[in-house]
Amino acid sequence: MTKIKKLSDIEAKKIAAGEVVERPINVVKELIENSLDSGAEKITIYLEEGGKKLIRVVDDGCGMSPDDALICFDHHATSKITKVEDLSSLQSFGFRGEALSSISSVSNIELITKEEASEAGTLVKMSGGKYVSQEEIATADGTDISVKDLFFNLPARKKFLKKTETEWKQIAHLFQALCLDRKSTRLNSSHQIIS
């Protein structure tokens, strides 16, 4: 009998998530960068328990089609590049297609998104990296993504999260830094964080 075994896709994704998601601040950073890459001019962040219970990012960016809303959670699914040579002309934040796959593997996610040209939006639900459901929904243009119960399926990781106040302060500092960094381009006073 062999000692070496291949991990299931779900277990491998949970372990890989540690490279992208260590704390709530990592999730917020990835989601804000996705919003900026989508051309959003307004981004609102809602937090519960410093992001441990809920991180919700709502933007008015370009949104996604129903097909894109589902495939965006796949490992290495990206709209930014198609080949390695594209890296030399990259003008976006993320490009590897790791973030949403990793985040979804360690949380419960609800993604609501709609493109401007579409009559209806799409709601996709994921839990622990597994697809739960997809349905048509009435919604505004843009994307509204809720990440709930971070590390619900990895108690060993969850216990290393800091106090709510500490997690919240880190997110607030990140948000301020991003606002200052992008002030001259896309971010403006319409961006807000709500706890």
Side-chain angles (χ1 to χ4, degrees):
M1 184 154 158
T2 63
K3 294 179 183 176
I4 299 174
K5 297 174 178 59
K6 187 175 178 181
L7 289 171
S8 71
D9 287 344
I10 294 296
E11 294 306 312
K13 282 183 182 179
K14 285 186 206 175
I15 293 167
E19 297 175 18
V20 177
V21 183
E22 292 179 17
R23 303 175 64 182
I25 189 173
N26 304 114
V27 175
V28 173
K29 178 182 178 291
E30 295 290 352
L31 297 181
I32 289 175
E33 288 178 350
N34 283 350
S35 292
L36 291 171
D37 282 343
S38 77
E41 294 190 16
K42 180 177 180 183
I43 302 169
T44 306
I45 304 169
Y46 300 88
L47 301 172
E48 288 183 25
E49 294 182 19
K52 293 182 277 187
K53 186 174 181 181
L54 172 70
I55 298 166
R56 181 178 171 211
V57 176
V58 182
D59 70 49
D60 63 351
C62 65
M64 290 183 272
S65 70
D67 290 339
D68 286 343
L70 191 56
I71 198 172
C72 73
F73 293 105
D74 287 353
H75 194 55
H76 297 306
T78 180
S79 63
K80 315 290 174 46
I81 63 171
T82 57
K83 56 189 180 302
V84 172
E85 291 76 21
D86 294 342
L87 294 175
S88 62
S89 60
L90 194 64
Q91 296 193 10
S92 63
F93 288 98
F95 61 87
R96 294 179 303 150
E98 292 291 324
L100 290 179
S101 174
S102 294
I103 294 166
S104 72
S105 69
V106 294
S107 66
N108 294 305
I109 289 187
E110 286 187 9
L111 169 70
I112 299 170
T113 188
K114 178 182 172 292
E115 294 176 304
E116 184 180 4
S118 300
E119 290 185 18
T122 302
L123 166 63
V124 175
K125 293 182 181 180
M126 302 285 292
S127 180
K130 295 180 182 176
Y131 168 80
V132 175
S133 65
Q134 181 176 10
E135 62 185 90
E136 194 173 275
I137 188 171
T139 188
D141 296 345
T143 300
D144 178 343
I145 185 165
S146 296
V147 177
K148 302 175 183 178
D149 305 316
L150 192 61
F151 300 128
F152 79 97
N153 55 354
L154 282 177
R157 293 292 306 277
K158 190 172 187 174
K159 74 178 183 179
F160 286 105
L161 294 177
K162 306 294 183 192
K163 291 181 181 178
T164 296
E165 297 79 20
T166 303
E167 299 293 355
W168 190 90
K169 283 179 187 176
Q170 287 215 344
I171 292 167
H173 288 138
L174 167 74
F175 188 75
Q176 290 168 347
L178 286 169
C179 286
L180 291 172
D181 184 51
R182 306 296 290 183
K183 185 177 181 186
S184 63
T185 54
R186 285 184 266 180
L187 283 176
N188 58 49
S189 60
S190 67
H191 294 73
Q192 58 185 325
I193 187 168
I194 301 167
S195 182

